[in-house]
Structures are given as structure tokens and as C-alpha cells.
Amino acid sequence: MTATCSNGTLNECGGNVSINANYSDPDDPTTAVAGSGLDEVNYSESSGVCTGSKTGLNGTPSYSLPDAEPNPCVVTNDGSGVSRTITAYGYDIAGNGYSIVPITYQFIGPWYKLKNTSFHKYNVLSNYIPSTVNAFDGTDTTDRYLVIGNAGVVTSDTTIDLNGAQATTSDWNKENSTRTVTFTRDSFLSYVQSKKNYTTISDSGAADMDDLNGAIDENGIYIWGGTNLDFSSVPAALNTKEVIIIVNGTATISVANFNPAESVAIVAESMVFSNATTNANGIFYGDTVSFGTGNNPLKITGNVNSAATTNAPGRERTDDRFMPSLFIVFNTEIFIDLLPYLSNTSYSWTQLQ
Amino acid sequence: MKYQKGQVLLLVIMLLATILTVTTAITFKSTTETQITKLEEDSQKALAAAEAAIEYVLKTGVSIATLDGLGVEAGITGSATVEGTLEVPTEFITSNISQGNQYTFYLSEPASDYTSFLSSYNGQSIRVCFNNSQGLELTLIKSDNTLVRYAINPTDATVITNGTAGSAAAGSCDFTVGGETVSFNNKYELSGVDVGNDNLFLVIRSISTSGKVGLKGGADFPLQGKRITARATTITGVTKSIELFQSYLQIPADFFVTSL
């Protein structure tokens, strides 16, 4: 009885696990001897995908099981990230029992990575970074850190578990560190309405992107007059204007490649990336954020912020589980471009006399 | 009989003296309270007038405003002025930075619309002063959009695992604010080489506890915002002087720190 992983090791399997249910009588593997040879063999795998048993073997010296099912039996990688066990036992015709040392294996679950940023995880920071890391693309590295590049401090409301990986190259981190949220979508909207210039875009009932293109004619802050806004394409206006768009309800990026030529920030009550989206450039803020599900990897260049705990990475790539399913690359330039809009002011009074 | 009449006279005189004393005391107290009330009233009027002048400057963008024509009470004189420098040009104290949030300290002077920056603080040191229990993340943002980061711990605690320890300020982090001294316990020195050239901002984020951060430079810092001082004097001579500091635009941590 043996088990192998098609990509990686059994402890960190990025592929599928094959169970080779081949048995030999441990007393005499080659000769059928009275009182010896296999009588019964069994195995089970804890997920229940592969199991098998056979009795009445009448002393055969070796046997491959299951015989009515594939051998090897293949357990398809489900990205569960949990440890599973294969056990096997049997008896020879003399009644001697035997068992193999249980074989454990673990599929790599989906994980995420960041670059050039500071990071805070609400609730628990649990992100299984495999022992071997493959780069997401040319902007990534094979460094086994949660945040690569010019990384800041990584904090978590509670604990940090990266499967033994460092948070950053300097491993700056702090557990049990809560963040005081200053701006929600509501409070930022209120601030904008009282302190900054803005334009309201009417939802005419036509295609949302047409409404945006018709209204955005200069750099600035725009408030979507409808409730939800679906970016089913990249509005042409975002290729010529630097804007912030505030959405009362859900802002959805449903286009596969959201890559406006100019800097853009979207502030919404709920920020959603559809399963079809694989690339998004901008600053994306939501009181809640969803990265979707499905198997497409997602790269965000700019930043992502949520006011509440988020299921990251949400989606699960299956092409190469040693690559992150979600890669967030901080882009300073967007913040500089949008500074007149994505900002606030502090005041302090002092009585001198 | 004569003896008894003398006693009565004495008692009457003592009683009259007592009544006179009490009356005098009540009169004095009443007069004083009236004077104090008037003083407080004038103080509040002067304060309100000074605030009105500052509000006017903020609203109109003028650099100097007198109280004439601002609708304050007749007889109150004074003005508000936009100052051209920090109170101490090589020193600055941030507003209170709450846990997880940040302050954007400018190392280049922004244009009025923030579409460009005049590089001004180059190759000079910055002493970062902070209090006990406060761990800081410092981010230098360069004009080419690159970043340089530091994680600093106070001397009394390891707030940030694997962060760099600051050192005791030992008097080198005393600041003058409104004629009074404000002190910090800890310091971290960014050398002139660390700071380098072509800087836009130094973003200071508080990883733990709330608190202000003081900065001392090897040369004059950019303005950091608008500093407006106002002074108002009532007809009775009561004077109040206040200062408002309106920062340059700040980048909120809510958008700057990736949070999920």
C-alpha cells in the first residue's frame, strides 16, 4: 500500500493523490504456504473517496485492491487544506493481522499574497503559504512571505498563522492589534458632501457605463445616483480622467480585465469582484469586500480595503496551487494622483493667551 | 441698675458692629462677583471674536483679516493672520494619531491644487519623537512612487515583533508649543542618508495606542498646512489669542493600509 502526489509532496500536495492498493503477505510474499498468504485486505481514506476491502483471498501471496475499481484510486485535489489519513490492514490465512503505518496527506488550499503594502487582517489571519512558492507573474517573486517588496507591518485582530512563513522579509508583525476604522462608506460620503466638490451621476436606466461616460468630464469625485453599479466594461471616461466613484450599494467589477488608463478609486457599501475578473487596477474600498469564488486567479494593482473581515482569497486556482490565488500589489501612484479627493484634513486649536 | 445699662449698651454696639461687618462683606462679595462675571463675559467675547476672524480667513482664503466688518461687538479690535512658517520651523507635532491610523507629514511643498510638489526637504535628518507604549510604522514616499519603510518600537515595550528599538529621548525631544514645553520619552533618528532626496511624504502610522508624534529636522520643514493666529481685545482690555492649524491633505489609513 503506497500513496503518491502528482505535484508536490504528500504533506503539501498541489496535485492529486493516488492510492496504490497493492498488498503482499508479509510472511511469505512469493510462495503460497499452507497457513500463510493473504486472506483479507482493507483500506480506507478519511475523506471517503477511496475505500476497499476483499476477503476470501485463500492465501494468495499478493493482491491488488480494489479489483472492481481503479487501482490506483485517485483522490482529486479539493483544496481543503486539511490533513487526511489512509489506513490499511489485513489478515493472512493463519489469522495473523497486519497493518501499515497510516499515510497522511494534505492538499494545499488557496492562499493569497501582497506586495509593497502594510496589511491588517480582521479577526484571524490564517493563510497557508506552501513551503514551495511559485510566482504569480513577472511582478511576483518566489519569496515565501505574506507581503513581499517594500512591506510594512502586518497586524491581526487576533493571531497570525502563515504555515511557518514570515509576514515580510523583516517579519514585522503584531498580533492582537485591533484597528480603529475611521471611514466607512457612509462617513466618507458625508465628509465629501460637506468638505469637497462632487458631482452626482444620475442613473438614467440605460447602461451604467453609458451614464458614467456621459457624466464624467473632469477629474474629481462622482457619486452614483442609483444604488448598485456594475462595471461590465471599463468606461472610456476612466481612461482620461482621475476619479473617485462613490456607490451607495454594491459596486461590482464584472469585466475580466478592469484596467482604466487613469487612476480610479471606488468606494462602495459592498465591493464585489466577479468570478470572471482576473485583473483589476484601482483602489477598491467596501464596507464589505468579496473576491468571488471559482478557479480564476485575481490580481489587484492599487489597493483593497474592507471595514470588516473578508474571506480571502475566496477563489481557488487549480492550475498551480503553489501560486497565490489572489495577489494584491500596492500602487503608490494612484494615491498621489487622487490625493485632492481621497483625503481628509485635520484641525487643531490652541489657546495662546 | 447702672451696671446693667452699661452691659446693654455694649451688647447693642457689638450687635451693630457685627451687622455692619456682614453688610460690608456682602457688598464687597457682590461687587467682586459682578466684576468677575464681567471679566468672564469679556473673555468669551474676545475668544469668540478671535474665532470669527479665523473662520473668515479659512472661508475666504485671505492672508490677513481684521475684525472690522465681521459683525463682532463694537469696541473689540484685533485680527487674524496666516503665518508663513511653523511656530518653530524645524519642529512639528502631529495631531493625535489613534491606533492603526496615520498622519501624512509633507516633505515637499504641494501646489494649491496638489497636482505638483516642490521638493524641499532633502538630505536632512529627521528625529521622530514619540511616547512610551507607542509603536510606529514610518513610510517615506518618494516622488518616483517608491517606498521606504521602518518599524519602530518604544524603549519600554516590543510593540512590533522584530521592529527596531528607538532610544531614550533624554531631553532631545522637547518642543515649544505656545510658549510651553511638550516632551516625548522616545526617539528614532532618520539620518540625512536615510531621508535622501526627492521625498513627498513621511507617513507615520501608530501601531499601538494613540498619541502625538513630534518631529525635529536638520533644516526647516515645509509648512505642513495653514497656521492662523488670531488676537482680539475688548474695550475693557481683555485679550484672547488663539491659533488654528489646518493640515495639508491627509491620506487616511482606511485607504492606505490593505485591510481585509
Side-chain angles (χ1 to χ4, degrees):
Chain A
M1 160 63 68
T2 60
T4 55
C5 171
S6 61
N7 183 15
T9 64
L10 285 174
N11 286 334
E12 280 191 345
C13 187
N16 300 324
V17 167
S18 296
I19 301 172
N20 304 292
N22 302 318
Y23 298 81
S24 297
D25 181 357
D27 295 325
D28 185 350
T30 59
T31 306
V33 174
S36 178
L38 295 171
D39 179 49
E40 175 185 340
V41 295
N42 301 273
Y43 85 93
S44 68
E45 180 269 333
S46 58
S47 74
V49 171
C50 294
T51 61
S53 67
K54 182 74 174 180
T55 58
L57 293 175
N58 298 317
T60 183
S62 64
Y63 190 74
S64 292
L65 181 143
D67 56 1
E69 298 166 6
N71 186 7
C73 182
V74 177
V75 185
T76 303
N77 194 323
D78 60 4
S80 65
V82 297
S83 181
R84 293 178 177 152
T85 306
I86 305 165
T87 56
Y89 67 95
Y91 302 93
D92 65 16
I93 58 172
N96 300 309
Y98 70 90
S99 62
I100 64 167
V101 175
I103 301 171
T104 59
Y105 72 92
Q106 182 168 333
F107 290 131
I108 296 173
W111 56 288
Y112 58 96
K113 195 173 185 181
L114 305 99
K115 181 176 180 180
N116 294 338
T117 189
S118 305
F119 181 63
H120 179 76
K121 186 70 179 74
Y122 298 105
N123 204 356
V124 176
L125 198 179
S126 178
N127 186 34
Y128 190 100
I129 300 177
S131 301
T132 301
V133 168
N134 291 335
F136 187 96
D137 61 12
T139 66
D140 190 9
T141 68
T142 57
D143 294 324
R144 190 171 177 251
Y145 305 129
L146 172 63
V147 188
I148 62 169
N150 294 312
V153 181
V154 171
T155 56
S156 167
D157 281 355
T158 57
T159 55
I160 298 174
D161 179 4
L162 303 174
N163 185 37
Q166 289 187 183
T168 69
T169 182
S170 303
D171 204 16
W172 295 332
N173 67 89
K174 178 169 173 54
E175 294 180 315
N176 302 308
S177 177
T178 54
R179 259 205 79 230
T180 305
V181 174
T182 304
F183 276 127
T184 60
R185 186 213 56 101
D186 263 354
S187 59
F188 184 67
L189 175 63
S190 295
Y191 183 84
V192 163
Q193 288 173 324
S194 64
K195 298 284 190 183
K196 294 188 185 285
N197 297 323
Y198 63 92
T199 302
T200 300
I201 303 176
S202 298
D203 180 0
S204 70
D208 291 349
M209 299 300 99
D210 289 342
D211 285 336
L212 260 57
N213 285 326
I216 296 175
D217 55 1
E218 60 179 2
N219 296 343
I221 302 174
Y222 293 84
I223 299 174
W224 174 242
T227 303
N228 303 320
L229 183 59
D230 183 4
F231 290 87
S232 54
S233 63
V234 179
L238 301 192
N239 292 325
T240 58
K241 299 293 180 286
E242 297 169 345
V243 302
I244 295 178
I245 301 173
I246 302 176
V247 180
N248 289 317
T250 298
T252 302
I253 307 293
S254 56
V255 63
N257 188 7
F258 183 77
N259 58 345
E262 295 292 345
S263 295
V264 62
I266 300 171
V267 178
E269 183 180 60
S270 176
M271 189 71 234
V272 173
F273 297 88
S274 77
N275 297 349
T277 303
T278 57
N279 183 73
N281 296 347
I283 295 171
F284 304 95
Y285 175 92
D287 291 346
T288 61
V289 171
S290 169
F291 294 113
T293 56
N295 303 131
N296 291 325
L298 172 63
K299 179 179 182 181
I300 296 173
T301 303
N303 206 5
V304 182
N305 310 89
S306 173
T309 189
T310 302
N311 177 26
R315 52 189 66 202
E316 176 187 349
R317 71 187 303 166
T318 55
D319 56 333
D320 185 343
R321 295 175 185 275
F322 294 96
M323 290 183 182
S325 293
L326 172 66
F327 187 40
I328 300 170
V329 180
F330 186 84
N331 183 351
T332 314
E333 185 175 1
I334 302 179
F335 287 91
I336 309 303
D337 289 343
L338 297 180
L339 183 59
Y341 320 117
L342 201 66
S343 56
N344 61 345
T345 304
S346 74
Y347 296 86
S348 60
W349 291 84
T350 307
Q351 186 164 332
L352 305 176
Q353 180 184 359
Chain B
M1 278 305 245
K2 257 191 189 176
Y3 183 69
Q4 286 178 333
K5 280 185 185 173
Q7 280 184 321
V8 169
L9 180 61
L10 188 61
L11 281 171
V12 168
I13 290 172
M14 285 172 65
L15 188 60
L16 283 173
T18 304
I19 292 170
L20 189 62
T21 303
V22 169
T23 306
T24 306
I26 290 172
T27 305
F28 178 76
K29 185 170 183 294
S30 174
T31 304
T32 305
E33 280 181 351
T34 302
Q35 287 176 339
I36 291 173
T37 303
K38 184 77 172 80
L39 203 61
E40 284 176 353
E41 199 177 302
D42 279 359
S43 290
Q44 286 171 8
K45 285 180 182 175
L47 201 58
E51 286 176 3
I54 288 180
E55 303 259 357
Y56 181 79
V57 168
L58 278 177
K59 190 175 174 183
T60 61
V62 298
S63 55
I64 297 178
T66 62
L67 292 179
D68 301 335
L70 292 189
V72 300
E73 186 176 291
I76 300 180
T77 59
S79 64
T81 306
V82 177
E83 304 293 342
T85 64
L86 297 173
E87 185 177 355
V88 179
T90 58
E91 295 181 357
F92 183 80
I93 297 179
T94 69
S95 55
N96 192 62
I97 308 173
S98 58
Q99 180 174 341
N101 287 302
Q102 64 191 37
Y103 191 88
T104 309
F105 183 76
Y106 282 66
L107 295 175
S108 284
E109 196 68 48
S112 58
D113 60 359
Y114 291 86
T115 56
S116 63
F117 297 83
L118 177 64
S119 179
S120 54
Y121 197 85
N122 296 311
Q124 299 288 337
S125 63
I126 299 176
R127 178 178 302 148
V128 181
C129 301
F130 54 106
N131 281 322
N132 285 339
S133 305
Q134 190 177 26
L136 300 178
E137 176 193 81
L138 308 176
T139 304
L140 269 172
I141 300 179
K142 302 285 187 174
S143 57
D144 63 356
N145 300 314
T146 57
L147 309 169
V148 182
R149 297 193 197 254
Y150 304 84
I152 311 301
N153 280 318
T155 53
D156 68 328
T158 301
V159 171
I160 303 168
T161 302
N162 301 310
T164 302
S167 55
S172 63
C173 280
D174 292 345
F175 294 74
T176 304
V177 179
E180 297 190 0
T181 301
V182 175
S183 300
F184 295 89
N185 313 106
N186 304 278
K187 67 177 178 180
Y188 182 77
E189 306 273 0
L190 288 171
S191 69
V193 173
D194 291 333
V195 174
N197 298 325
D198 302 318
N199 299 293
L200 290 182
F201 317 111
L202 174 65
V203 177
I204 305 162
R205 185 162 75 106
S206 182
I207 300 299
S208 66
T209 70
S210 301
K212 298 182 180 182
V213 172
L215 299 157
K216 282 183 179 277
D220 291 358
F221 288 134
L223 275 178
Q224 302 307 316
K226 190 175 281 187
R227 188 164 74 93
I228 309 168
T229 54
R231 187 182 179 89
T233 304
T234 66
I235 201 167
T236 56
V238 175
T239 298
K240 286 293 172 189
S241 177
I242 56 176
E243 176 182 290
L244 170 72
F245 177 75
Q246 177 192 46
S247 74
Y248 285 149
L249 294 179
Q250 298 289 301
I251 306 172
D254 303 89
F255 303 120
F256 195 73
V257 177
T258 307
S259 304
L260 297 177

